[in-house]
Amino acid sequence: MRLLTHNFLASNMKGVSTGYPLGLEVVKSTIKEVELNADFLRGILPKLDWRALAAATSAAGYPDLLPAEQPSEAEFFAEGAAEFEDSPIRRLHRALLEIHIDEGTLVCPESGRTFPIQKGVPNMILHEDEVRA
Amino acid sequence: MWYLCVFYHRLLDYRRPEVQSLAEIFGGPGAGDAVEWRMPENHHADSPFHLVRLPGDERLAAQIANRSLLVKGIYELWGQGTTYEELEKAIKEYPDERKLPYLTPESTFKIIVDSFGKVISFQEQNDIIKGLAYIPFEGRVDLKKPEHKFFVMETDDYGSQNGLPPVVQKTVFFGREVGAADRHLLPTYQLKSRKYIGPTAMDCEMAFLMANQGLARPGKLVYDPFVGTGSILVAAAHFGAMTMGADIDIRVVRDGRGPDCNIWSNFEQYKLPEPLCVLRADNNLPPWRTGLKEIFDAIICDPPYGVRAGGRKSGGRKLLKGIISPYTVPEEKRGTHIPSTAPYSLVECVHDLLHLAARMLVMGGRLVFFYPVVREDDFTDVAKFPEHPCFKLVASCEQILSLRYSRVLLTMVKIGPYTEEVEKMAEERHREFRENHQKWMEEGNLHSAVFSPAEQDGKPKFDKDSKPKYRGKYV
């Protein structure tokens, strides 16, 4: 599971109001490099919850990767930023798409219910007594 | 400009929508709607020969043809006639300034004789090519890698035998090829050589057509909520899209058949980027955070409709009916407990799918999915398909699976933003739809159309001759 997915997922069990952001406990993670697509990042940026992403990045073991406050669009998409190793867009790309959580747990912030991540696949299925009527 | 568009004689309903979707990809928004069609004189709509006007130059035509699966070729038509004499007259009348640039001494070319519904012997082909001597070809012949390919295509007036659509009149076309389909994709991606497949893996040709309908391309995000072994996402990834998938079956998405035979290995096998995410989730209870919307550029899927595989959703059957209260899972078993699931009817599944798509697709994004149809009903009724106020239906392509049932690939475009009012309206429409369709969907008509005998009281329930036979045979 990449952190992009973490940014979108919430606990939707009975009795929970927002169930977001999910806590992240990491047992095993890896970095897999992929090609950067600036158009994709530009499209996805306004949909992100920055604080949840920064927190998840720290929880995954990269506390210095992202600043606490979201950089401006101009900083992200400055000319040639994608080629520059340490640029905001490179860091965002790494955080969203290159960190993989292979084994770990997602934790509902309200109920404490845990959702396991096994072999990179988060299991968001609810038990019978957790489904909203 | 008008071109001659020649299709493969298969999946007839899918041919024009595919060209229009590809026009949208390569020609920009609105280009798909701007495509115009005509049939050559005296040709049946199911004929492989169509005339198309594309909103762009020859490059657009080439791009469309090259990515297409069903376009055999797009040609600049230099002439046509019912006889070779008429063809000669037409070609001679075609303006020189359109012809001469392709006939220069330094160019290389090849002439190919093709036919539909008949066989032309090698000797006859040679005679036809020699008969074209009135065209001032000055270039050199190169059979392997010619710069220009010219086609002579012939059909006969054989009526409707052969299991082919009726062609009323013999026609000969002559044209210069502008682009042609690359069907080499199909042997590369065929399911029998794929590592991990399930019983309902999508045939690769159909998966590519679905990806085309969903306008899959680089920088776009495609989601399949019933991902299974990933057969649809593989096609979308081939066209450069980023992919995401979910499934309710944990064994399929997490384990597959082992470390080298699972959903990830299917992407590795073709050197495609792996999905951004695969998760186990229930389409009935999607786990997306509140307020999240307009994420996906396309949702492409084959929902379970109970023929090959039945849908499941969270919650036991009795639990959902309120007969029993929920089973309380003891604390010590929570980690390993496998929750029970209940059948997920097609009507409910489609409702959830439209709801999800209305919320999660970007404006102008596409929802592409299969929908089953019992052919014993009158199929022409469009209201039969599910509707949603956020969506406009842009294509419905039937694939006949048996005499009695078929599936229709629906392509919908999101034309309105998702709001609470819209959702209320959608609930209303869904209720009407549900009442109308409960009968044949829920009471097992679909299942019986597939599995039970076609005859009742010794009489067939369905008139075998009401649809052209070649459709059932080749489509």
Side-chain angles (χ1 to χ4, degrees), chain A residues 2 5 7-10 12 20 32 37 40 47 49 100 118-119 121-130, chain B residues 219 242 253-255 274-278 280 285-289 294-295 327-329 334 337 339-340:
Chain A
R2 305 186 217 206
T5 313
N7 209 262
F8 294 164
L9 291 180
N12 58 351
Y20 187 84
K32 281 192 218 165
N37 184 326
F40 175 76
K47 320 284 180 191
D49 183 318
H100 290 248
Q118 294 163 314
K119 298 181 190 170
V121 176
N123 185 345
M124 303 306 294
I125 292 288
L126 301 174
H127 296 315
E128 290 92 331
D129 51 355
E130 297 166 339
Chain B
M242 308 223 198
V253 287
R254 184 188 60 194
D255 305 333
E274 63 181 39
L276 287 189
C277 125
V278 172
R280 182 195 188 201
L285 299 160
W288 310 112
R289 76 168 130 95
E294 303 190 358
I295 295 294
Y327 167 68
T328 311
V329 186
R334 285 203 173 261
H337 176 66
S340 60

Side-chain angles (χ1 to χ4, degrees), chain B residues 43 60 85 153 161-162 313 427:
Chain B
H43 274 245
L60 176 68
E85 289 70 43
M153 285 168 283
Q161 74 269 36
N162 268 348
K313 63 174 180 180
E427 287 290 336

Side-chain angles (χ1 to χ4, degrees), chain A residues 73-91:
Chain A
E73 188 149 335
E75 289 175 73
F76 274 123
F77 299 105
E79 192 74 26
E83 275 80 62
F84 179 51
E85 191 63 35
D86 221 20
S87 61
I89 190 167
R90 276 273 158 212
R91 286 165 170 263

Side-chain angles (χ1 to χ4, degrees), chain A residues 46-124:
Chain A
K47 320 284 180 191
L48 296 177
D49 183 318
W50 187 266
R51 290 175 64 182
L53 179 64
T57 311
S58 295
Y62 303 89
D64 303 322
L65 190 58
L66 295 181
E69 291 305 317
Q70 180 173 347
S72 69
E73 188 149 335
E75 289 175 73
F76 274 123
F77 299 105
E79 192 74 26
E83 275 80 62
F84 179 51
E85 191 63 35
D86 221 20
S87 61
I89 190 167
R90 276 273 158 212
R91 286 165 170 263
L92 174 69
H93 174 71
R94 166 138 302 193
L96 276 182
L97 299 171
E98 295 188 327
I99 300 173
H100 290 248
I101 312 300
D102 302 319
E103 303 288 332
T105 314
L106 295 168
V107 185
C108 171
E110 290 168 51
S111 65
R113 155 74 143 110
T114 58
F115 299 91
I117 306 166
Q118 294 163 314
K119 298 181 190 170
V121 176
N123 185 345
M124 303 306 294

Side-chain angles (χ1 to χ4, degrees), chain B residues 223-339:
Chain B
Y223 180 61
D224 179 356
F226 309 101
V227 66
T229 58
S231 50
I232 291 172
L233 295 187
V234 162
H238 171 80
F239 292 130
M242 308 223 198
T243 57
M244 273 173 89
D247 204 288
I248 195 169
D249 190 339
I250 186 76
R251 294 163 304 173
V252 176
V253 287
R254 184 188 60 194
D255 305 333
R257 293 190 208 289
D260 302 317
C261 179
N262 50 46
I263 182 163
W264 311 105
S265 76
N266 281 347
F267 287 82
E268 217 169 277
Q269 181 179 353
Y270 304 113
K271 310 256 180 298
L272 298 172
E274 63 181 39
L276 287 189
C277 125
V278 172
L279 63 128
R280 182 195 188 201
D282 183 347
N283 193 50
N284 190 236
L285 299 160
W288 310 112
R289 76 168 130 95
T290 319
L292 185 70
K293 58 178 189 176
E294 303 190 358
I295 295 294
F296 306 125
D297 296 286
I299 294 179
I300 308 178
C301 62
D302 182 21
Y305 40 73
V307 176
R308 298 289 301 280
R312 308 294 295 179
K313 63 174 180 180
S314 297
R317 188 199 302 258
K318 285 178 182 166
L319 177 73
L320 292 171
K321 281 188 178 157
I323 298 170
I324 55 159
S325 50
Y327 167 68
T328 311
V329 186
E331 269 325 302
E332 70 276 13
K333 293 201 174 140
R334 285 203 173 261
T336 53
H337 176 66
I338 298 167

